[in-house]
Amino acid sequence: MAANFGKNYKISIFGESHGNALGVNIDGIPAGTELNLEFLSQEMRRRAPGRSKLTTPRVEKDEFEILSGFFDGKTTGTPLAMIIRNSNQRSKDYSELKRKPRHADWSGFNRYNGFNDIRGSGHFSGRITASLVFAGAIAKQILKSQGILIAAHIKSVKDIEDRDFVESDITEKNINKLRNMTLPVLNEEIVEKIEKVVEKTREEKNSLGGIVELMVTGLPAGIGDPYFESMESELSRMIFSVPATKGIEFGAGFGITEMTGYEANDEMYFDENGEIKSFTNNNGGIIGGITTGMPISFKVAIKPTASIEKAQKTVNLETKKNDILEVHGRHDPIIVPRAVPVLEAATAIVILDRVLEAKKYQL
Amino acid sequence: MAANFGKNYKISIFGESHGNALGVNIDGIPAGTELNLEFLSQEMRRRAPGRSKLTTPRVEKDEFEILSGFFDGKTTGTPLAMIIRNSNQRSKDYSELKRKPRHADWSGFNRYNGFNDIRGSGHFSGRITASLVFAGAIAKQILKSQGILIAAHIKSVKDIEDRDFVESDITEKNINKLRNMTLPVLNEEIVEKIEKVVEKTREEKNSLGGIVELMVTGLPAGIGDPYFESMESELSRMIFSVPATKGIEFGAGFGITEMTGYEANDEMYFDENGEIKSFTNNNGGIIGGITTGMPISFKVAIKPTASIEKAQKTVNLETKKNDILEVHGRHDPIIVPRAVPVLEAATAIVILDRVLEAKKYQL
Amino acid sequence: MAANFGKNYKISIFGESHGNALGVNIDGIPAGTELNLEFLSQEMRRRAPGRSKLTTPRVEKDEFEILSGFFDGKTTGTPLAMIIRNSNQRSKDYSELKRKPRHADWSGFNRYNGFNDIRGSGHFSGRITASLVFAGAIAKQILKSQGILIAAHIKSVKDIEDRDFVESDITEKNINKLRNMTLPVLNEEIVEKIEKVVEKTREEKNSLGGIVELMVTGLPAGIGDPYFESMESELSRMIFSVPATKGIEFGAGFGITEMTGYEANDEMYFDENGEIKSFTNNNGGIIGGITTGMPISFKVAIKPTASIEKAQKTVNLETKKNDILEVHGRHDPIIVPRAVPVLEAATAIVILDRVLEAKKYQL
Amino acid sequence: MAANFGKNYKISIFGESHGNALGVNIDGIPAGTELNLEFLSQEMRRRAPGRSKLTTPRVEKDEFEILSGFFDGKTTGTPLAMIIRNSNQRSKDYSELKRKPRHADWSGFNRYNGFNDIRGSGHFSGRITASLVFAGAIAKQILKSQGILIAAHIKSVKDIEDRDFVESDITEKNINKLRNMTLPVLNEEIVEKIEKVVEKTREEKNSLGGIVELMVTGLPAGIGDPYFESMESELSRMIFSVPATKGIEFGAGFGITEMTGYEANDEMYFDENGEIKSFTNNNGGIIGGITTGMPISFKVAIKPTASIEKAQKTVNLETKKNDILEVHGRHDPIIVPRAVPVLEAATAIVILDRVLEAKKYQL
C-alpha cells in the first residue's frame, strides 16, 4: 500500500510540506520497549534543515508528539502514532507552480487529477521523511539491543570519493562520530573539497547529488527469503521510497558484472573462532535473498536536489506553450547529508521487520 | 509474501530444480483474455537452456500444462495455474554439496535448518524463473493490447558495452528481432567479441556476468504512487527476486550523482503534437514514484553464474575444516542471455499489476 | 495487519481511551472528493456518548482535526489523517484494574505482557471506533454519489424485536430519520418498551445487548470474489473488528439451516423493467461471495456492555486468589444504539473498498 | 487476495470442478516437518463424496500429488504445492446452465463477464475445498504437536439438534471417533432421525442444511490482535470462504444478546491448579479479539445444497424471459457432513497462521 510498509514492523505515513501536520502510525513495536526520547530527538535533528551552511537555511523544528501506544515511558504494544506540526505554513502564492509544473508536481498532477497539494511539493516533499526517521530511530534502538548496528556515510559527491566501509568501521563509537558530522565521511580529507564544490554550486543556484553507502552488522545467517521477500527486494523497495533515490547496488553491485564467477563468489572459510566467514563480500551479505552472516552492504544513488533557483525550461499548462520557471526559495544545494539519516532509518525499519519475520520460521 | 507477488495481477510460485514439478498460480487475469499459446511457448523457449553454445548444454523442455482458469481458449477470470514437470530428476549424489555448501546452499541451510532441497540448488535454482516467464508472457500479451511494449537488451558483458536504448528502438519489429537473437544487443558488432570472451571463460571453467537494460513504452503519465508503492519500489522489489541480480538503476542511475540539478532535471516541453515530453530522461520515466509519460528505463546488474567447475575454497561442515569444492556439471558460462527474458517477464508482471492498480484511482 | 484494513480504501487506526489522541490515516480516497464536513461532524455525534439517557453521561466531544490530504475543501488523493484529542484524561488510579483484570484487560495483559495501557480499556476501548465512524462517513459520502446507500436499525434488544428491513425502507429520507433517532427502529411502538428495560437494567447496575440489521442497496451484480475475498469474508472480518460483536449472519442466516434447498434458493425472474431480481433474498444479496444485485442484508449480534458497576467475581493477580471487582464509572447500560453508526461506518468502509476493487476486473 | 489467504501459513488455491486439476500452493510450512501422508489421505477421504448414502454417489478419488517443498519425507520450508487431477471431465452439454443461470453461476456470470467455467459450477464448486482440507490437514498435524486440538460436530440438521461441545469432549479419542462417523454428532440417538429426514428430502429432489459447531483447545491466552486481525475477524473471513456458509457466531453468539452483562461476562477464577479459567465461556474463548485461554468455540450456518433436481424458476438469458430450470445430476441431499472436515481444516489454517504470528510479539 502506498502509505503503508511492513508486515511485522508496520508503518503508515501521512502529511504534506505545508499541511497541518505530518506523521506516522507504527504497529508492531514489541510491548514494553523503553523509548529513549532523547535519542529520538537527536535523530530527528540530524534530518532537520538548518544545521549547517550545506543545507537550506529554512528552520524546521521537527518537534514530535507521541499520540498513542506509549504509557509510563514504555511502548504498550498497540499502535504508536506520532505527529509533527508544520510551523511553516505561509499561504504563499503557489499558482505559478500549478501553471508551470516541475518534477514531482507534474507526476502528482497526473496521478491526482490536479488535486494534489502543490505547496512545497505537498506529499512528495522530502519533509515527509521525518516520519521515516522517527520510525527508524525506534527500530534502531530495538535492533541495537539485539546487537545489530546500522551505519551510513557519504561515499561520493560528484566525483569526490570516500573510501568504502569495512566491517571494523561499524562500532558504536564510529557510528556516533559519523552521526555528529555535518558531512559524514570516513576520509576526513575530502570534507573541505566537498564544502567547496557545494558552495560553488549554491552560488550558481544549482545543486548536487551523491552516493551513500550503508552497512548492517550483527545479523545472523539465515534471515530473509528467496524471491519476493528477498532481503534485497525488501530493502530496495523501501530505499526507493526515499525521494531522490535513483539506484541501489548490493556488495560489489554493478562492479560485479566485470568480475568472473571465481572472483565474485565469496569463498568461505572458518575463522580463528570457528565461525564461518567469507574472504570477500561481493554479494553484500545476501545470497539467494538470505543473509550469509557477513555484513549487509549497499550503495544508494541520490540525485541532485530537484528544486533549484536557476531558471529552467518547462511547460505552461495555462498557455499551453513552452515557458521558463524560476523557483525562488531556500533550497538545499545538496540533499545527500540530510539523506544519510533517512536512509539509515529506512534500512532500520526493513531490518527490524525482517528480524521479526524470522521469529516465525520455526515453531 | 515470499512466494507471492502482486496486488492485482497476483502470482504464487513453487518448485525446485529436481522436484516433481514447478509452477505458478496466477490470480487477477482479466476474464475473457484469449491466450496466444504459441507466444507463451516461444517465451518459455527463450529462457530454456540448450539454445546455443553460450548456455548450458543441459536440455530442459519447459513444456507447460495449464491446470485451471482457462476454458474454451480464454481465461475465465479465476486463478490460472500452470505446471512444468521436471524430466531431469536423476538421483545423483548431492551429499558433497550438503557437506560443502556453496552460495545459496549456505543461505538455505541456515534459513531452513538444513532441510532445504539441495539438489541443483532446489528452490533457489534459476529454473524456478520459468514461472515468471510464463506469468510475464501473459502480462506482455495483455499490455501489448493496451499499447504498452517492453524491450530488453544486453547492455554489457564484462567491459564490452552495447549502446543505450532510445525510445525509437521500441517497436514490435525490433522487439521481435531482439527476442530471436542468441545475444540480444543493439550494436551487432559486439556479438563476436562477446562470444569470444564467453568461450574463453568456459574453457577456464569460469563464468561471466553483465548488465541488462530494459525499456517500457506506452504508459501514460500518472501511474504509480509515492513512497512504498512507487514504480521504482515495485519494480526493484520484483527485479531483485530474479536470482543473480545485484543492482538496479533507473534512468541515468548512479551516473546522475555526477550531474548538477540543472542537468539532471528533465526539462519539459510541448512537442509538435502538443504532447508534454522532456528533452532528457535522466529520471527513467519516473519522478516521485509516478510515471511522467516518458519511457521507463532501467539497468540491472547480473552477477557471473555462481556455479562454476573451477575449484573453489569452502568450508566442510562435517570435518569443520576449510576444504575445496569442485562442482562438476553443465553450467552456463554466462547467465545474462537467459536472464533477459526473465527480466522482461518480471517487468511485465509489475507493469500489469500497476496498470490494474491505476484503474481505481478514480471512481 | 492489526491496525490496518483495506486494499483500496485503506485505513490505519491508533489511540487509546485516555491517551493524548486517537485517530486514523486513510489512504486511497479518490482525489478531488469534496468533503461535507458538517455531515462528518453529524456522524461523529451519532456515536458520541451523552446524547440521551440511554448512553453514558460521560461527555466526549469527538471534535476531529484533519491533518493532511485535504486542501482547498477537497481531498488531494494522498493520505488523509485525522485525530481527536482526548479531553478526558484524568489520572485516576487504575491499579485495581491491573490487579483484578476484567474482559479485554485480561486478553490485553497476556497479549502485551502487561504493558498495555489499562486506563479505560486503552486501545480496546469502544472510543477507538470514532475513527471507523470518520472513515466510514467519508466512504458513505462517496458511495452515495454512486447511488449506493447503507442503512441500519436495531433489530432487537433482549427479546423485544423490530421488524426486518425490506428494500423499500432504504431511501434517503428514511435513512435520515433513522440517523436522528435515539433508538433507531422501524416499528416505533417498541421504543418505550426498550427504554423501560434499559432503565431497569441501568438501575440494577447491569447492561443489555441486542441485534443490529444492516442493508446496502444500489450495488450492481458481480462485485466481490469467491473464497478469501468474498463479500461475506470482507464484511465479517471488518464487523468482528467492532468491539462487542459476537455473531454475523447474511440474509436468512442461521434460519436458512431450517429451510430446504428449494426454499433457500432465491428463484430469479425478470421484473417489469426487464431487470433480473429474485423473489426472496435468503442469501442476503451475496452468492458465491459475489453480489447478485439484490440488497446486501445482514444481522450482527452485539453483546451487553462488558463494563458494569455490579460486583463480579474475578481473579486477583497480586494475591493469586479469587476476588471481587466493582467497576465504578459511567457506563452505557446498552451499547447497541451507539454501535449502529459504527456498524454502518464499518460496512461503508468495506463496500467502498470492494467497489474500488471492482474497477480493475477489466482493463 | 481472492485466491490467497494467510500472512504466515499462506495458501494460494486454484481449480475448477471439471478442469484439468485443482490444487494449492502452501508457503510458510516450518522446514523439517515430517508429513503423515496416511493422515493426509484420510482427511481427503472424509471430504470426498460417495462415502455414504447421505452424499452424492459421484465418485471422486481426490488422490493428491505433492509437486514441491517435500524432500526425503520432510517439508523443505519452501513452497509446497499439491494438485488433484479431475478424473470426471465428461464434456457434457452445459449450454442450458449458461442460458438459465442458477445461484453462483449468475454471480460468476456478472463477475467474469460470462467467461467463467460453468461446468459443475467451475471455480465455485465445493470440490475446490479439497485444497483447504489438504492445507488444513498439514496445519492440524503441526498444531497437534503443539498441544492444540480442533474438533467439529453437526450441531443441527433442520430442527434436529445435537448437544453443545464441552471442553472435555475434545480428546484425541473423541476426535478420532467423530472423524470416522458418517454423521459426526455427540448424541448418537439423533443419527437415525437425521438419516430419515435426509432420505425423505433426497426423494423429493430437494436438499437440507444445518449447523456445525467447532472447538479449539490448547491455545494459551494472548493470541490474536484487536481490530482487523482479531481472532474472530481472521476466523470468520476464512469460514465465509467455505461455500454455503451464511452465518457464524462465537460462544453464545446471537444468544448473548438476550443475556445481561452480568450473565454474559465470563467471570474468572483460579482453578485447583492455579490456572485462570472462567466459569462460563459465552465469549467463545475470545475477548477483545484475543484468546482468553478458554476453548475457542463457534457455530457455522450451512445452507441447503443449492443444486437440486427439483424444478425451479429462473431467468432465461437467451429468450430474456422467465423460465424453469431442472438440474439433473447427482447432488448431495445435504452438504453438512462433508462440510465438517472442510470447516475443521479452514479453522486449522487460521489457527496455525495466528500461532505463527504470535511468535513475533516479542523479540
Side-chain angles (χ1 to χ4, degrees):
Chain A
M1 301 186 241
N4 300 344
F5 182 88
K7 236 174 99 177
N8 307 293
Y9 185 69
K10 297 165 276 185
I11 63 175
S12 178
I13 62 171
F14 55 85
E16 296 98 32
S17 177
H18 290 55
N20 288 336
L22 59 94
V24 60
N25 186 23
I26 312 175
D27 191 19
I29 309 178
T33 304
E34 262 184 81
L35 293 187
N36 181 340
L37 296 179
E38 180 45 34
F39 174 68
L40 298 187
S41 294
Q42 275 168 24
E43 289 288 290
M44 298 307 275
R45 280 196 294 273
R46 287 176 68 202
R47 195 212 68 87
R51 285 209 310 164
S52 83
K53 58 182 178 168
L54 292 176
T55 63
T56 166
R58 240 180 17 242
V59 175
E60 287 159 7
K61 283 203 184 145
D62 285 0
E63 279 174 5
F64 61 86
E65 181 192 8
I66 296 178
L67 300 180
S68 65
F70 188 59
F71 179 48
D72 279 349
K74 290 188 181 122
T75 60
T76 60
T78 55
L80 187 151
M82 175 280 293
I83 61 169
I84 297 168
R85 294 274 167 193
N86 284 320
S87 49
N88 204 351
Q89 306 173 45
R90 295 159 307 156
S91 44
K92 201 172 127 189
D93 180 15
Y94 279 92
S95 57
E96 193 188 10
L97 286 175
K98 207 132 199 182
R99 280 196 306 274
K100 304 188 205 167
R102 48 170 193 171
H103 43 91
D105 295 341
W106 170 241
S107 310
F109 178 87
N110 286 285
R111 170 66 180 80
Y112 302 111
N113 303 322
F115 293 108
N116 55 312
D117 180 355
I118 206 144
R119 298 170 299 167
S121 293
H123 187 56
F124 293 92
S125 167
R127 181 153 171 67
I128 304 316
T129 60
S131 288
L132 294 182
V133 172
F134 179 83
I138 294 178
K140 277 182 198 177
Q141 207 197 299
I142 296 170
L143 290 169
K144 194 173 144 189
S145 75
Q146 308 286 311
I148 299 163
L149 296 177
I150 296 171
H153 71 109
I154 298 177
K155 169 63 191 164
S156 70
V157 170
K158 233 184 165 189
D159 57 349
I160 308 166
E161 289 215 24
D162 194 16
R163 71 166 172 84
D164 276 2
F165 266 139
V166 292
E167 185 170 0
S168 59
D169 288 323
I170 315 303
T171 62
E172 279 192 50
K173 195 179 148 197
N174 287 345
I175 290 174
N176 283 335
K177 187 179 167 194
L178 285 167
R179 282 185 183 158
N180 286 312
M181 292 171 80
T182 307
L183 275 170
V185 292
L186 301 172
N187 175 2
E188 297 181 43
E189 289 169 21
I190 63 174
V191 169
E192 209 182 301
K193 277 194 215 173
I194 295 176
E195 285 174 345
K196 270 189 193 157
V197 68
V198 171
E199 193 46 41
K200 183 164 167 289
T201 305
R202 179 207 299 279
E203 284 162 14
E204 293 166 0
K205 302 184 175 181
N206 210 334
S207 65
L208 291 176
I211 297 175
V212 176
E213 187 190 25
L214 291 107
M215 187 167 274
V216 184
T217 61
L219 277 173
I223 309 281
D225 271 285
Y227 303 101
F228 311 120
E229 286 186 23
S230 79
M231 287 303 286
E232 290 118 325
S233 289
E234 293 292 319
L235 281 165
S236 66
R237 176 190 179 190
M238 168 54 96
I239 295 297
F240 278 115
S241 301
V242 176
T245 302
K246 295 311 288 186
I248 188 169
E249 57 178 14
F250 290 84
F254 281 86
I256 209 170
T257 67
E258 301 200 26
M259 298 178 182
T260 65
Y262 182 77
E263 295 162 315
N265 284 345
D266 297 311
E267 293 179 298
M268 291 189 288
Y269 68 99
F270 284 104
D271 75 2
E272 58 273 25
N273 305 314
E275 277 175 48
I276 292 171
K277 294 276 168 73
S278 62
F279 295 103
T280 51
N281 191 17
N282 295 313
N283 285 282
I286 306 168
I287 295 182
I290 294 167
T291 56
T292 62
M294 293 296 288
I296 291 183
S297 99
F298 59 100
K299 297 197 181 79
V300 180
I302 300 295
K303 71 176 179 180
T305 323
S307 294
I308 55 174
E309 281 202 78
K310 198 175 166 82
Q312 292 198 271
K313 294 175 196 150
T314 189
V315 291
N316 187 318
L317 298 177
E318 210 170 79
T319 63
K320 305 277 174 195
K321 288 192 177 158
N322 295 327
D323 208 331
I324 297 294
L325 176 72
E326 289 176 58
V327 188
H328 301 296
R330 295 160 300 168
H331 307 299
D332 288 275
I334 181 166
I335 201 67
V336 182
R338 292 179 61 205
V340 168
V342 177
L343 293 169
E344 265 182 47
T347 301
I349 291 166
V350 177
I351 297 293
L352 178 54
D353 190 64
R354 293 298 97 189
V355 165
L356 289 168
E357 180 78 8
K359 302 288 293 178
K360 67 180 195 217
Y361 295 164
Q362 291 96 36
L363 269 173
Chain B
M1 299 185 243
N4 300 343
F5 182 88
K7 235 173 100 177
N8 307 293
Y9 186 70
K10 296 165 278 185
I11 64 175
S12 177
I13 63 171
F14 55 86
E16 296 97 33
S17 176
H18 290 57
N20 288 335
L22 59 95
V24 62
N25 186 22
I26 312 175
D27 191 18
I29 309 177
T33 304
E34 262 183 82
L35 293 187
N36 181 338
L37 296 178
E38 180 46 32
F39 173 69
L40 298 187
S41 294
Q42 275 168 25
E43 288 287 290
M44 298 307 273
R45 279 196 294 274
R46 286 176 69 203
R47 196 212 67 87
R51 286 208 310 164
S52 83
K53 60 182 176 169
L54 292 176
T55 65
T56 166
R58 239 177 19 242
V59 176
E60 289 159 6
K61 284 201 186 147
D62 285 359
E63 279 172 6
F64 62 85
E65 181 192 7
I66 296 177
L67 299 180
S68 65
F70 187 59
F71 180 48
D72 279 350
K74 290 186 183 126
T75 60
T76 61
T78 56
L80 186 153
M82 174 282 291
I83 61 170
I84 297 168
R85 294 275 167 191
N86 284 321
S87 49
N88 204 352
Q89 306 173 42
R90 295 159 307 155
S91 43
K92 199 172 130 190
D93 180 16
Y94 278 92
S95 57
E96 194 190 8
L97 287 175
K98 206 130 200 184
R99 279 196 307 274
K100 303 187 203 168
R102 48 171 191 170
H103 42 90
D105 294 341
W106 170 241
S107 309
F109 178 87
N110 285 285
R111 170 66 179 81
Y112 301 111
N113 303 322
F115 293 108
N116 55 314
D117 180 355
I118 206 145
R119 298 170 300 167
S121 293
H123 187 56
F124 293 91
S125 167
R127 182 153 171 67
I128 306 314
T129 59
S131 288
L132 294 182
V133 172
F134 179 83
I138 294 178
K140 278 182 198 178
Q141 211 198 297
I142 296 170
L143 290 169
K144 194 174 145 189
S145 75
Q146 308 287 312
I148 299 164
L149 296 177
I150 295 171
H153 71 110
I154 297 177
K155 168 64 190 164
S156 70
V157 169
K158 233 183 165 189
D159 56 351
I160 308 165
E161 291 214 23
D162 195 13
R163 71 165 171 84
D164 277 1
F165 265 139
V166 293
E167 186 170 0
S168 59
D169 288 323
I170 315 304
T171 63
E172 279 191 51
K173 194 178 150 198
N174 286 347
I175 290 174
N176 284 334
K177 186 178 167 195
L178 284 167
R179 282 186 184 155
N180 286 312
M181 291 172 80
T182 306
L183 276 170
V185 291
L186 302 172
N187 175 1
E188 298 181 43
E189 289 169 21
I190 63 173
V191 169
E192 208 182 303
K193 278 195 214 171
I194 295 177
E195 285 173 345
K196 268 189 193 157
V197 69
V198 171
E199 192 47 39
K200 184 164 167 289
T201 304
R202 179 209 298 279
E203 282 163 14
E204 294 166 358
K205 304 182 171 180
N206 210 333
S207 65
L208 291 175
I211 298 174
V212 176
E213 188 190 26
L214 292 107
M215 187 166 272
V216 185
T217 61
L219 277 173
I223 308 281
D225 271 285
Y227 302 101
F228 312 120
E229 286 186 22
S230 77
M231 288 302 285
E232 291 118 324
S233 289
E234 293 292 317
L235 281 164
S236 67
R237 177 187 178 191
M238 168 54 97
I239 295 297
F240 277 115
S241 300
V242 176
T245 302
K246 295 311 287 187
I248 188 169
E249 56 178 14
F250 290 84
F254 280 86
I256 209 170
T257 67
E258 302 201 25
M259 298 178 182
T260 64
Y262 182 77
E263 295 163 314
N265 284 344
D266 295 312
E267 293 179 300
M268 291 188 288
Y269 67 99
F270 284 104
D271 76 1
E272 58 273 28
N273 305 315
E275 278 177 47
I276 292 173
K277 292 278 168 74
S278 61
F279 294 104
T280 51
N281 190 16
N282 295 313
N283 285 282
I286 306 168
I287 295 182
I290 295 166
T291 56
T292 62
M294 294 295 289
I296 291 183
S297 98
F298 59 100
K299 297 196 182 78
V300 180
I302 299 294
K303 71 177 180 179
T305 323
S307 294
I308 56 175
E309 280 203 78
K310 197 174 167 81
Q312 292 197 273
K313 292 174 197 153
T314 190
V315 292
N316 187 317
L317 299 177
E318 208 169 80
T319 64
K320 305 279 176 195
K321 289 194 178 158
N322 296 325
D323 207 331
I324 297 295
L325 176 72
E326 289 176 56
V327 189
H328 301 296
R330 295 158 300 166
H331 307 299
D332 289 275
I334 182 166
I335 201 68
V336 182
R338 293 179 61 205
V340 168
V342 178
L343 292 168
E344 266 182 46
T347 301
I349 291 167
V350 176
I351 297 293
L352 178 53
D353 189 64
R354 294 296 99 188
V355 165
L356 289 168
E357 181 77 8
K359 301 289 292 177
K360 65 175 196 223
Y361 295 165
Q362 291 95 38
L363 269 172
Chain C
M1 300 185 241
N4 300 342
F5 183 87
K7 236 174 98 177
N8 307 293
Y9 185 70
K10 296 165 278 184
I11 63 174
S12 178
I13 63 170
F14 54 85
E16 296 97 34
S17 177
H18 290 56
N20 288 335
L22 58 94
V24 61
N25 186 23
I26 312 175
D27 191 19
I29 309 177
T33 304
E34 262 183 82
L35 293 187
N36 182 339
L37 296 179
E38 180 46 34
F39 173 69
L40 298 187
S41 294
Q42 274 168 25
E43 288 286 291
M44 298 306 274
R45 280 196 294 272
R46 286 177 68 203
R47 196 212 67 87
R51 284 210 309 165
S52 84
K53 59 181 178 169
L54 291 175
T55 64
T56 166
R58 240 179 18 242
V59 176
E60 288 159 7
K61 285 202 184 142
D62 284 1
E63 279 173 5
F64 62 84
E65 182 191 7
I66 296 178
L67 300 180
S68 65
F70 188 58
F71 179 48
D72 279 349
K74 291 190 180 117
T75 59
T76 60
T78 56
L80 186 151
M82 175 281 290
I83 61 169
I84 297 169
R85 293 275 168 191
N86 283 322
S87 48
N88 204 352
Q89 305 173 43
R90 296 160 306 157
S91 43
K92 199 171 129 187
D93 180 16
Y94 278 93
S95 57
E96 194 189 8
L97 287 175
K98 206 131 198 183
R99 279 196 307 274
K100 303 187 204 167
R102 49 172 192 170
H103 42 90
D105 294 341
W106 169 241
S107 309
F109 178 87
N110 285 285
R111 170 67 178 81
Y112 301 110
N113 304 321
F115 293 107
N116 55 313
D117 180 355
I118 206 144
R119 299 170 299 166
S121 292
H123 187 55
F124 294 92
S125 167
R127 182 154 171 65
I128 305 315
T129 59
S131 289
L132 294 183
V133 172
F134 179 84
I138 294 178
K140 277 182 198 176
Q141 209 198 298
I142 295 170
L143 290 169
K144 195 174 146 190
S145 75
Q146 308 285 311
I148 299 163
L149 296 177
I150 296 171
H153 72 109
I154 297 177
K155 168 64 192 162
S156 70
V157 169
K158 233 184 166 191
D159 56 350
I160 308 165
E161 289 216 25
D162 194 16
R163 70 164 172 85
D164 277 2
F165 266 139
V166 292
E167 186 169 0
S168 59
D169 289 323
I170 315 304
T171 63
E172 279 193 50
K173 194 180 149 197
N174 287 346
I175 290 174
N176 283 335
K177 187 178 167 194
L178 284 168
R179 282 184 183 159
N180 287 312
M181 292 172 80
T182 306
L183 276 171
V185 291
L186 302 172
N187 175 1
E188 298 182 42
E189 290 169 21
I190 63 173
V191 169
E192 208 182 302
K193 278 194 215 173
I194 295 177
E195 283 174 345
K196 269 190 194 156
V197 68
V198 171
E199 191 46 40
K200 181 162 169 288
T201 305
R202 181 210 296 281
E203 283 162 14
E204 292 165 0
K205 303 183 174 179
N206 210 335
S207 66
L208 291 175
I211 298 175
V212 176
E213 187 190 26
L214 292 107
M215 187 167 274
V216 184
T217 61
L219 277 173
I223 308 283
D225 271 286
Y227 303 101
F228 312 120
E229 286 186 23
S230 77
M231 287 303 285
E232 291 117 326
S233 289
E234 293 292 317
L235 281 164
S236 65
R237 177 189 177 190
M238 168 53 96
I239 295 297
F240 277 116
S241 301
V242 176
T245 302
K246 294 312 286 187
I248 189 168
E249 57 178 13
F250 291 84
F254 280 86
I256 208 169
T257 67
E258 301 200 28
M259 299 178 181
T260 65
Y262 183 77
E263 295 162 315
N265 284 344
D266 297 311
E267 293 178 300
M268 292 189 287
Y269 68 99
F270 285 104
D271 75 2
E272 58 273 25
N273 304 315
E275 277 177 47
I276 292 172
K277 293 276 168 74
S278 62
F279 295 103
T280 51
N281 192 15
N282 295 314
N283 285 283
I286 306 168
I287 295 182
I290 295 166
T291 57
T292 62
M294 294 296 289
I296 291 183
S297 99
F298 59 99
K299 297 196 181 81
V300 180
I302 299 295
K303 71 176 180 181
T305 323
S307 294
I308 55 175
E309 279 204 80
K310 198 173 166 81
Q312 291 197 273
K313 291 175 197 152
T314 189
V315 291
N316 187 317
L317 299 177
E318 209 169 80
T319 63
K320 304 279 175 195
K321 288 192 177 156
N322 295 326
D323 208 332
I324 297 294
L325 176 72
E326 289 176 55
V327 189
H328 301 296
R330 295 159 300 169
H331 306 300
D332 289 276
I334 181 166
I335 201 68
V336 182
R338 293 179 62 204
V340 168
V342 177
L343 293 169
E344 266 181 47
T347 302
I349 292 167
V350 177
I351 297 294
L352 178 54
D353 189 64
R354 294 297 99 189
V355 165
L356 289 169
E357 180 77 9
K359 301 288 292 177
K360 65 180 196 218
Y361 295 165
Q362 290 96 37
L363 268 174
Chain D
M1 300 184 239
N4 299 344
F5 183 88
K7 234 174 101 178
N8 307 293
Y9 186 70
K10 297 165 278 185
I11 63 174
S12 178
I13 62 171
F14 54 86
E16 296 98 33
S17 177
H18 290 56
N20 288 335
L22 58 93
V24 60
N25 186 22
I26 311 175
D27 191 18
I29 309 178
T33 303
E34 261 183 82
L35 293 187
N36 182 339
L37 296 178
E38 180 45 34
F39 173 69
L40 298 186
S41 294
Q42 275 168 24
E43 289 287 290
M44 299 306 275
R45 280 196 293 273
R46 287 176 69 203
R47 195 211 68 87
R51 283 210 311 165
S52 83
K53 58 183 177 167
L54 292 175
T55 63
T56 166
R58 237 175 25 237
V59 175
E60 287 159 7
K61 284 203 185 142
D62 285 358
E63 279 173 5
F64 62 85
E65 181 191 9
I66 296 177
L67 300 180
S68 65
F70 188 59
F71 179 48
D72 279 350
K74 292 191 180 116
T75 60
T76 60
T78 55
L80 187 152
M82 176 281 291
I83 61 170
I84 298 169
R85 292 276 167 192
N86 284 321
S87 49
N88 205 352
Q89 305 173 45
R90 295 159 307 156
S91 44
K92 201 172 128 187
D93 180 16
Y94 279 91
S95 58
E96 193 188 8
L97 287 175
K98 207 130 199 183
R99 278 196 308 275
K100 303 188 203 168
R102 48 170 192 172
H103 43 91
D105 294 342
W106 169 241
S107 309
F109 178 87
N110 285 285
R111 169 67 179 80
Y112 301 110
N113 304 322
F115 292 108
N116 55 315
D117 179 355
I118 205 143
R119 299 169 299 166
S121 294
H123 187 56
F124 293 91
S125 166
R127 182 154 171 68
I128 304 315
T129 60
S131 289
L132 294 183
V133 172
F134 179 83
I138 294 178
K140 277 182 198 177
Q141 209 198 299
I142 295 170
L143 290 170
K144 194 173 144 190
S145 75
Q146 308 286 311
I148 300 164
L149 297 177
I150 296 171
H153 71 110
I154 297 177
K155 167 65 191 163
S156 71
V157 170
K158 233 182 167 192
D159 56 352
I160 307 165
E161 288 215 25
D162 195 14
R163 70 165 173 83
D164 276 3
F165 266 140
V166 292
E167 185 170 0
S168 59
D169 288 324
I170 315 305
T171 63
E172 279 192 51
K173 195 180 149 195
N174 287 346
I175 290 175
N176 283 335
K177 188 180 167 194
L178 284 167
R179 281 185 183 156
N180 286 312
M181 292 171 81
T182 307
L183 276 170
V185 292
L186 301 172
N187 176 1
E188 297 182 43
E189 289 170 22
I190 63 173
V191 169
E192 209 182 300
K193 277 196 216 172
I194 296 176
E195 284 174 345
K196 269 189 193 156
V197 69
V198 171
E199 192 46 39
K200 183 163 166 291
T201 306
R202 180 209 297 281
E203 282 163 14
E204 293 165 0
K205 302 183 175 180
N206 210 334
S207 65
L208 291 174
I211 298 175
V212 176
E213 187 190 26
L214 292 107
M215 188 166 273
V216 184
T217 61
L219 276 173
I223 309 281
D225 270 285
Y227 303 101
F228 312 119
E229 286 185 23
S230 78
M231 288 303 286
E232 291 118 325
S233 289
E234 293 291 317
L235 281 165
S236 65
R237 176 190 180 190
M238 167 54 96
I239 295 297
F240 278 115
S241 300
V242 175
T245 302
K246 294 312 287 187
I248 188 168
E249 57 178 14
F250 291 84
F254 280 87
I256 209 169
T257 68
E258 302 201 26
M259 297 179 183
T260 65
Y262 183 78
E263 295 163 315
N265 283 344
D266 296 311
E267 293 178 300
M268 291 189 287
Y269 68 98
F270 284 104
D271 76 1
E272 58 273 26
N273 304 315
E275 276 176 47
I276 291 172
K277 293 277 167 73
S278 62
F279 294 104
T280 51
N281 192 16
N282 295 314
N283 285 282
I286 306 168
I287 294 182
I290 294 167
T291 56
T292 63
M294 294 295 289
I296 292 183
S297 98
F298 60 100
K299 298 197 181 79
V300 180
I302 299 295
K303 71 176 180 180
T305 324
S307 293
I308 56 174
E309 280 203 79
K310 198 173 167 81
Q312 292 198 270
K313 293 176 196 150
T314 190
V315 291
N316 188 318
L317 299 177
E318 210 170 80
T319 63
K320 304 277 175 199
K321 289 192 176 157
N322 295 327
D323 207 331
I324 297 295
L325 176 72
E326 290 176 55
V327 189
H328 302 296
R330 296 159 299 168
H331 307 300
D332 289 276
I334 181 166
I335 201 68
V336 182
R338 292 179 62 205
V340 168
V342 178
L343 293 168
E344 266 180 48
T347 302
I349 291 167
V350 177
I351 298 293
L352 178 54
D353 189 64
R354 293 297 98 187
V355 165
L356 289 168
E357 181 77 8
K359 301 288 293 177
K360 67 179 194 219
Y361 295 164
Q362 291 96 37
L363 267 173

